[in-house]
DNA sequence: ACCTGAACACCGTTCAAGT
DNA sequence: ACCTGAACACCGTTCAAGT
């Protein structure tokens, strides 16, 4: 067979098969990928630019699937929660794909909407202009890190080697997807609460700092 | 030469050379690593269990270097800041190494102290027991994500394609290491402020929730 | 115990050849 | 335009041989 009248492959088909392959615990390798598609390895190169091209195709599939229109929210908090929830689901459902994307520069589509929605929400919340972008990046970095947390084993610490308060807490800890979701929810709650506090602080004027002025105010790294 | 009277290699030597190799922008490959060490590839296997073993050796080097004793802090906030700063420096100084560690299960030494220090600090702060571990994981996930942020290119968005508030903010944004440090500082400030708010909320009793009770309280994922 | 060189299976990529 | 099989350079790993 050469040049079938209806194409066997496409970026989309390759991307989906690659996601399946990786998410089922295998390495991203072209040989197993081609076998899974019933095709020879060199055929892939007609649709995709090598292994990195496959990674891009994987991302395109996920973006189409996850970056859907989101209903407008009433408050800034909800706007943030809805937008981040979407990004989070994409990350958390496919942590192994996420890991691969680290190795390739991504020309991020979808990031545009993420950034502008969050910009408007934080602006509406009353956050000072010069803190908006870094705050968005905090949210993004956290979602990212929390999703990758899903790849780490459940028991980083064996409770035998611990003592004190920590030892008493470890046995009660959730595991797997439940723990992972807990971490995400907790983090988003904390960050949003932190933003609220920061907004209040900025509104009440910089002349009444709530903390020791030598310590607070960040960004003098 | 075979069996020299003073060993040419050791886990430490291999780990350090591998960190240099990776941090200078190369892939982690045994052939270049061996060449850099003036040794044949198969020699590495006498000290380290293959490529994954090299990654473990890299981590051991970093832990020895970064996980140093930390002076006791007065307040819980400072305790957290000092401990996290250490972990962060290790991550942020070696993002490429960090990325490699994702692919290998790490039997985390050093994590023990990190967890117990933060446990005690959060306990001292007055955070409810059942929120302590997930809060620690939030801090860890964030540090992790913020460090990996250093690997992403400076301009995810070209300012030509944006509009509105976002477009006006983009040109003023810091880049590179400065931006990266900003994100870390901002995030830690927000999370600590969030913890403070949560502690206050828990102290004042669950009967006076500060937010819409249908929305707050997280963790019903 | 520690280093070497050769051998092995496997990988990603290229390319001329087929329709 | 799309698929194939062969060829190529390279990778990680193993192992018998040397001291």
């Amino acid at each position: 067979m050469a040049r079938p009248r209806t194409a066997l492959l496409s970026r989309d088909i390759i991307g989906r098969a690659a996601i399946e392959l990786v998410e089922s615990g295998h390495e991203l390798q072209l040989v197993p990928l081609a076998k899974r598609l019933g095709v020879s390895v060199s055929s892939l190169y007609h649709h995709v630019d090598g292994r990195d091209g496959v990674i891009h195709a994987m991302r395109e599939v996920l973006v189409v699937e996850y970056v859907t229109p989101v209903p407008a929210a009433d408050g800034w908090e909800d706007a943030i929660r809805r937008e981040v929830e979407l990004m989070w689901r994409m990350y958390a459902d496919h942590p192994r794909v996420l890991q691969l994307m680290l190795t390739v520069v991504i020309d991020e589509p979808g990031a545009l909407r993420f950034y502008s929605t969050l910009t408007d929400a934080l602006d509406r919340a009353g956050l000072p202009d010069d803190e908006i972008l870094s705050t968005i990046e905090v949210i993004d970095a956290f979602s990212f890190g929390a999703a990758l947390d899903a790849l780490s084993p459940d028991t980083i610490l064996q409770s035998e080697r611990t003592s004190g308060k920590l030892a008493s807490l470890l046995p009660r800890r959730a595991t797997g997807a439940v723990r992972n979701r807990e971490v995400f929810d907790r983090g988003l709650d904390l960050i949003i609460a932190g933003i609220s506090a920061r907004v209040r602080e900025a509104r009440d004027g910089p002349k009444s700092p709530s903390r020791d002025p030598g310590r607070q105010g960040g960004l003098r790294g």
Side-chain angles (χ1 to χ4, degrees), chain A residues 72-95:
Chain A
D74 1 311
W76 64 269
E77 283 196 29
D78 269 350
I80 291 179
R81 283 182 188 277
R82 285 181 197 187
E83 193 67 29
V84 174
E85 172 79 19
L86 227 59
M87 189 73 42
W88 161 256
R89 273 219 288 267
M90 184 171 97
Y91 287 167
D93 288 353
H94 306 283

Side-chain angles (χ1 to χ4, degrees), chain A residues 73-151:
Chain A
D74 1 311
W76 64 269
E77 283 196 29
D78 269 350
I80 291 179
R81 283 182 188 277
R82 285 181 197 187
E83 193 67 29
V84 174
E85 172 79 19
L86 227 59
M87 189 73 42
W88 161 256
R89 273 219 288 267
M90 184 171 97
Y91 287 167
D93 288 353
H94 306 283
R96 297 192 130 86
V97 180
L98 184 62
Q99 183 179 346
L100 283 171
M101 296 192 214
L102 278 178
T103 67
V104 156
V105 177
I106 296 289
D107 38 17
E108 202 87 22
L112 177 59
R113 199 195 69 183
F114 183 77
Y115 268 76
S116 49
T117 303
L118 292 193
T119 299
D120 294 342
L122 291 174
D123 186 32
R124 221 162 1 125
L127 196 69
D129 277 10
D130 60 335
E131 300 182 14
I132 288 181
L133 284 180
S134 57
T135 299
I136 292 176
E137 281 155 358
V138 166
I139 294 171
D140 194 35
F142 166 69
S143 311
F144 209 78
L148 290 176
D149 172 73
L151 295 176

Side-chain angles (χ1 to χ4, degrees), chain A residues 9-77:
Chain A
L9 295 178
S10 71
R11 293 183 66 81
D12 189 69
I13 291 174
I14 294 174
R16 289 184 193 282
I19 291 172
E20 274 181 40
L21 183 74
V22 166
E23 222 62 57
S24 69
H26 300 86
E27 299 276 291
L28 177 61
Q29 293 177 158
L30 301 192
V31 177
L33 179 61
K35 173 169 272 178
R36 188 176 268 249
L37 286 163
V39 120
S40 91
V41 180
S42 50
S43 301
L44 300 171
Y45 284 79
H46 292 276
H47 300 267
V48 134
D49 189 12
R51 210 187 94 109
D52 284 359
V54 174
I55 297 176
H56 275 100
M58 295 166 86
R59 194 192 155 81
E60 284 163 31
V61 169
L62 291 187
V63 167
V64 169
E65 193 171 335
Y66 282 90
V67 182
T68 62
V70 138
D74 1 311
W76 64 269
E77 283 196 29

Side-chain angles (χ1 to χ4, degrees), chain A residues 88 92 146-151 175-185:
Chain A
W88 161 256
L148 290 176
D149 172 73
L151 295 176
T175 60
V178 174
R179 181 199 64 163
N180 194 234
R181 177 76 208 193
E182 262 189 35
V183 172
F184 175 70
D185 283 334

